[in-house]
Amino acid sequence: MLRPVSALAAIALAAASLSACGSGTEAGGSGDSVTLGFVNGANTEFHTCLLKAVEAQAGTSGAKVISANSKQDPGTELSNIEDMISRNVDALIVQTVNVDALKNDIAKAKSANIPIFLTSVVTDDPSDILGAMVVDLGKVGALDAEWIAGDAGSAPAEVGVIAGAPGAASDLMVKGFTGALPANVKVVANQPGMFNRAKAQDVAENMIQAHPDLKYAFVANEDMAFGVHEAFKAAGKNVKIVTVNGTEQGLEAVKDGRFSATVANSATDIGQGAVKNVLGLLDKQPIEKISQAPIKLITKDNVDEAPQYCL
């Protein structure tokens, strides 16, 4: 979550509460008189850029946005949704904290006749939601695994996984990654970095001490990957890092070799696409209910082809 997926991710532009985050425009467009509630999942760079894209596209379309941040807590997410319901928004866009907790979130909104549109992930039964802009987070992880498979060839190799926060995008990415590894590449460690650079660096320090022959690391977003790189560098180990996002800083790290590969899943594409689809679906336009956000494996060979990550 990946995007799983982005991830996952934080700049100070991210808003953390309903009271601080309301925004909107009165410009003309298909969103005239529509108020969208956006419940974001965290404060990572992905989430910050997602918020910027949602607000920018809403402004272009003439819609208003009220936003809230769940700070990786399912209970806070439900409280945010309840608050949005009390504000009588026309629709909710949710970047969920935990897929398993979505059932209660959707039920709350449905009982108030407020449709929910999901970003990055979708429930097993989408009949109760307006729609979703989905990142194939399993494929995100698999693309990184495929790069490792090609680089390792038939030689045995050890890989460490530094996941994000349990419960949503990270779990799907890790599952896709581990499932796509060849038999000769063994996962010797799998620990959460909680989408926090300092935490991920600590995890990497412990990981390389326990597994000095580590050759590869899959890291669930680029912000964590920078901390992981510093840990491996300090230990004098040349561990090849594959990661996720495609931020400007991440692409520079691919160019200079700090990262071997990253999977670009543009927060801008997801946020803008979500708003366009919500407004179209509310207007009964022939919009696909579940749409796929584009993803792309980026290496030194094609770094110039990466999409814009953040506005």
Side-chain angles (χ1 to χ4, degrees), residues 62-126:
K64 180 181 178 181
V65 174
I66 304 170
S67 64
N69 197 301
S70 302
K71 301 180 182 178
Q72 298 183 359
D73 180 72
T76 302
E77 178 174 285
L78 182 56
S79 294
N80 285 335
I81 287 173
E82 289 172 340
D83 197 277
M84 294 288 185
I85 291 170
S86 72
R87 292 169 180 244
N88 199 32
V89 297
D90 294 293
L92 272 164
I93 299 173
V94 179
Q95 173 73 26
T96 190
V97 171
N98 189 314
V99 178
D100 294 332
L102 272 174
K103 185 176 181 180
N104 290 334
D105 299 345
I106 292 169
K108 280 279 186 180
K110 186 178 180 181
S111 66
N113 294 316
I114 295 176
I116 278 188
F117 186 95
L118 303 176
T119 54
S120 297
V121 298
V122 67
T123 52
D124 291 335
D125 178 11

Side-chain angles (χ1 to χ4, degrees), residues 130-148:
L130 177 66
M133 171 69 69
V134 178
V135 178
D136 188 342
L137 295 166
K139 182 63 175 177
V140 167
L143 286 173
D144 274 334
E146 289 165 11
W147 184 90
I148 289 176

Side-chain angles (χ1 to χ4, degrees), residues 145-229:
E146 289 165 11
W147 184 90
I148 289 176
D151 188 71
S154 59
E158 294 183 353
V159 59
V161 172
I162 300 176
S170 176
D171 289 356
L172 295 170
M173 284 190 286
V174 171
K175 183 178 180 181
F177 174 77
T178 57
L181 287 172
N184 57 298
V185 179
K186 181 181 179 183
V187 176
V188 295
N190 184 346
Q191 295 177 260
M194 300 305 296
F195 292 123
N196 179 280
R197 185 183 298 202
K199 171 67 174 175
Q201 185 166 345
D202 288 343
V203 168
E205 288 171 356
N206 295 330
M207 191 175 287
I208 199 63
Q209 289 176 13
H211 304 282
D213 295 328
L214 200 69
K215 187 172 182 181
Y216 301 101
F218 170 72
V219 187
N221 77 0
E222 290 170 356
D223 188 54
M224 290 195 299
F226 283 111
V228 171
H229 171 75

Side-chain angles (χ1 to χ4, degrees), residues 13-94:
L13 293 173
S17 69
L18 286 170
S19 61
C21 295
S23 65
T25 71
E26 300 301 325
S30 61
D32 282 354
S33 302
V34 172
T35 298
L36 303 176
F38 176 50
V39 177
N40 210 347
N43 286 320
T44 68
E45 186 173 3
F46 170 80
H47 294 89
T48 299
C49 293
L50 186 64
L51 172 65
K52 291 172 68 177
V54 166
E55 292 185 327
Q57 186 59 49
T60 298
S61 301
K64 180 181 178 181
V65 174
I66 304 170
S67 64
N69 197 301
S70 302
K71 301 180 182 178
Q72 298 183 359
D73 180 72
T76 302
E77 178 174 285
L78 182 56
S79 294
N80 285 335
I81 287 173
E82 289 172 340
D83 197 277
M84 294 288 185
I85 291 170
S86 72
R87 292 169 180 244
N88 199 32
V89 297
D90 294 293
L92 272 164
I93 299 173
V94 179

